[in-house]
Amino acid sequence: NVAVIYGDSPVCSYLSWPKKIDEKNWNLLLEAYNFSDNSEAETFEDVPLSDKALELYKTYNISMINVVGDTDQIVPVAENTIILAEKYRRIGGDIVVIHKQHNGHTPHGLDDASPIVDFILSHSPVPN
């Protein structure tokens, strides 16, 4: 029953964040997923950027919209949303990426949320 996934500066690879810049949260991630070490986490395949996860989205025809800050240093766009969008489009998925130039990880959202709302409504089934 999911028609759209909306991501706002989304983490698509935990190898980008928290691994690279947040040791405390990296250790919490290792514990939460019961990974025995870094190597096990680095080779885990069920993450948003994996082909396995992308096929799940495609199987159910889920559209995506992401809003990203082009200067995000916490969740770099090139290591997360750009890779996700390229892979998703390659398998025929529908994804829109809205870039906020000169913005970092925050503030989240858009001053005018209508492009997000319009996308979600246009991809949602009409209730009976």
Side-chain angles (χ1 to χ4, degrees):
N1 294 328
V2 175
V4 175
I5 294 174
Y6 165 52
D8 197 308
S9 301
V11 175
C12 302
S13 171
Y14 56 66
L15 299 178
S16 173
W17 182 92
K19 185 173 192 267
K20 288 186 178 180
I21 62 171
D22 191 339
E23 183 178 354
K24 177 185 173 191
N25 278 307
W26 175 250
N27 289 326
L28 288 171
L29 179 138
L30 295 175
E31 183 180 324
Y33 282 84
N34 294 315
F35 291 134
S36 58
D37 57 23
N38 284 353
S39 177
E40 187 176 0
E42 291 165 353
T43 58
F44 183 63
E45 293 184 8
D46 199 11
V47 296
L49 293 184
S50 75
D51 292 336
K52 181 179 177 183
L54 291 171
E55 285 297 329
L56 175 66
Y57 299 137
K58 180 58 181 162
T59 299
Y60 295 101
N61 296 315
I62 298 171
S63 297
M64 288 191 240
I65 183 167
N66 283 358
V67 174
V68 297
D70 283 341
T71 61
D72 191 335
Q73 298 297 310
I74 297 170
V75 182
V77 178
E79 298 174 14
N80 290 274
T81 293
I82 296 300
I83 295 170
L84 175 72
E86 288 172 357
K87 286 185 166 190
Y88 203 60
R89 288 180 182 125
R90 192 168 35 242
I91 63 169
D94 177 25
I95 183 169
V96 168
V97 179
I98 299 173
H99 293 265
K100 297 186 297 183
Q101 294 181 349
H102 313 296
N103 276 35
H105 189 65
T106 59
H108 292 290
L110 299 173
D111 291 337
D112 174 9
S114 60
I116 299 165
V117 173
D118 292 345
F119 182 86
I120 292 170
L121 291 175
S122 71
H123 290 80
S124 298
V126 177
N128 295 329

